[in-house]
Amino acid sequence: MFETTIAGSLPKPAWLAEPETLWAPWQHEGEALERAKKDAALVWLKEQEDAGIDIVTEGEQFRIHFVHGFLEHVGGIDWDLKTPMGIRDNRYVVDVPTVTSALSRTRPVHGAEAAFTRAHTSRKLKFTLPGPMTICDTIADAHYGRRADMAMAFADLLNQEARELEAAGVDVIQFDEPAFNVFMDDVNEWGVAALERAVEGLTCDTAVHICYGYGIEANISWKGTLGGEWRQYEGIFPALNASSIGQVSLECRGSHVPMSLIGLLPDKDVLVGAIDVATDQIETPEQVAETLKEASQYVDPARIRPCTNCGMAPLSRDVAAAKLRALGAGAVLARKSL
Ligand code: ZN
């Protein structure tokens, strides 16, 4: 009951990349960099285990960016051909690389990282990959012509990668789809279909993470425009509930999402975000338990997994570690009170 996990990313220690800076460049090169990444992953495995996190991750210590970490090893992308793109429906404009020919996976991307992490923990292991729709919202298309077609091509590559991660001993493969909260019509038209292609043939647990983004300025001002109640989930949950994806990871604590919306996911395991990543304030275990209790009114508690709202990459290391401990302690408290 209340098996704890996290959305995915954790801060990079200062020896690996500049702290509290999203997408900071590496502090090392070559072999020293590989060593530093592994050391960072080991630190976070220990922190998660000590905090009582049941399903752990490598904290995304091996990649700078959650999407580009995968795209770096995909053929068909011209990294020098930058196209300005209004990401997440024009929330912020970024010069992005461009797809110029048919996509292919040039080599396994995260397999060695997953194997290393698997060798160093006996807990259940989760690995995160970017979802097809979110990838398509992070890269320009000069080849496929339709976003849905490009998403399906990425889904095929993600599926190859996911099968290898499963073979490396990963227990849960999660696709991050923050774009699902922005393009709700597309989710229903092709977003869920692309996800289902990405998980085809997998026997491990599968998850999709749909949040309102890291606690960065562009996201905080966007959230200010969403009104008193955030009901984006309402438009996409029915399709997700009918899909083959096993778990749905959501933002709850500190958001304006009405908790009742999770009642639209009766057939899924629900990863309830009980830790707000947009504030340095540490939740108390009581507050975490309160969030879980509220969620239990709408979903069978046996299907609830206490989780963070989103990745904690931009936070300080100490804050993130304290939030992990609050999550673990809150779940213990919630188990007692049920
Ligand atoms: Zn997120």
Side-chain angles (χ1 to χ4, degrees):
M1 178 80 86
F2 293 143
E3 204 175 31
T4 48
T5 189
I6 64 170
S9 73
L10 289 162
K12 308 270 191 326
W15 76 75
L16 182 56
E18 191 183 328
E20 293 176 63
T21 310
L22 203 51
W23 312 324
W26 302 120
Q27 301 275 35
H28 303 276
E29 287 175 14
E31 232 170 81
L33 174 59
E34 293 317 304
R35 184 71 262 165
K37 289 176 181 175
K38 287 177 177 171
D39 289 351
L42 290 177
V43 165
W44 281 118
L45 281 180
K46 174 75 172 146
E47 291 277 15
Q48 289 173 89
E49 291 184 0
D50 289 353
I53 306 301
D54 300 301
I55 304 167
V56 298
T57 81
E58 34 59 91
E60 301 182 9
Q61 301 299 298
F62 296 88
R63 53 190 121 157
I64 289 178
H65 187 285
F66 82 106
V67 176
H68 292 169
F70 183 74
L71 294 186
E72 275 166 27
H73 304 291
V74 171
I77 298 170
D78 186 339
W79 288 83
D80 296 323
L81 181 59
K82 300 283 194 201
T83 308
M85 190 161 132
I87 306 256
R88 307 286 181 274
D89 204 16
N90 291 317
R91 203 182 308 162
Y92 44 95
V93 176
V94 182
D95 286 330
V96 298
T98 309
V99 173
T100 52
S101 58
L103 294 160
S104 63
R105 200 180 58 133
T106 53
R107 69 169 180 81
V109 181
H110 296 297
E113 303 160 13
F116 173 82
T117 315
R118 176 71 290 167
H120 288 280
T121 181
S122 53
R123 301 268 165 106
K124 281 192 197 168
L125 181 62
K126 177 200 267 197
F127 211 92
T128 59
L129 292 171
M133 177 180 281
T134 298
I135 293 179
C136 292
D137 195 40
T138 312
I139 192 163
D141 172 28
H143 176 75
Y144 286 93
R146 263 172 31 107
R147 245 187 192 196
D149 294 345
M150 186 163 77
M152 284 302 173
F154 274 117
D156 281 337
L157 307 188
L158 289 165
N159 185 249
Q160 295 167 18
E161 178 73 14
R163 286 170 188 243
E164 288 173 8
L165 293 175
E166 179 183 87
V170 170
D171 301 286
V172 187
I173 296 175
Q174 173 180 295
F175 293 91
D176 294 336
E177 287 283 27
F180 271 25
N181 263 343
V182 184
F183 306 108
M184 282 80 78
D185 290 341
D186 289 345
V187 171
N188 288 291
E189 270 173 47
W190 54 265
V192 173
L195 260 191
E196 293 202 283
R197 181 171 299 189
V199 304
E200 227 169 72
L202 296 178
T203 53
C204 66
D205 284 339
T206 57
V208 58
H209 167 70
I210 310 158
C211 63
Y212 288 82
Y214 287 129
I216 56 173
E217 205 44 55
N219 292 335
I220 291 167
S221 12
W222 171 63
K223 289 174 181 184
T225 69
L226 296 178
E229 272 203 341
W230 302 351
R231 304 194 71 93
Q232 283 72 16
Y233 287 146
E234 197 168 31
I236 59 177
F237 279 180
L240 277 172
N241 191 59
S243 78
S244 56
I245 308 296
Q247 310 178 351
V248 185
S249 163
L250 304 170
E251 177 163 339
C252 301
R253 165 93 185 153
S255 77
H256 294 281
V257 176
M259 188 66 93
S260 58
L261 294 185
I262 66 174
L264 296 168
L265 294 170
D267 301 321
K268 300 295 147 189
D269 289 347
V270 182
L271 278 56
V272 172
I275 296 289
D276 186 356
V277 302
T279 169
D280 280 349
Q281 209 177 345
I282 313 299
E283 287 77 4
T284 64
E286 288 76 15
Q287 286 170 328
V288 170
E290 195 51 44
T291 303
L292 301 176
K293 208 171 126 190
E294 197 193 339
S296 303
Q297 293 172 31
Y298 304 101
V299 173
D300 178 357
R303 284 192 167 276
I304 291 176
R305 307 266 189 284
C307 190
T308 56
N309 273 353
C310 185
M312 296 205 278
L315 298 179
S316 85
R317 190 173 154 182
D318 288 342
V319 167
K323 282 177 177 275
L324 289 177
R325 291 193 293 274
L327 181 62
V332 170
L333 210 58
R335 278 179 213 126
K336 279 184 195 154
S337 71
L338 267 187

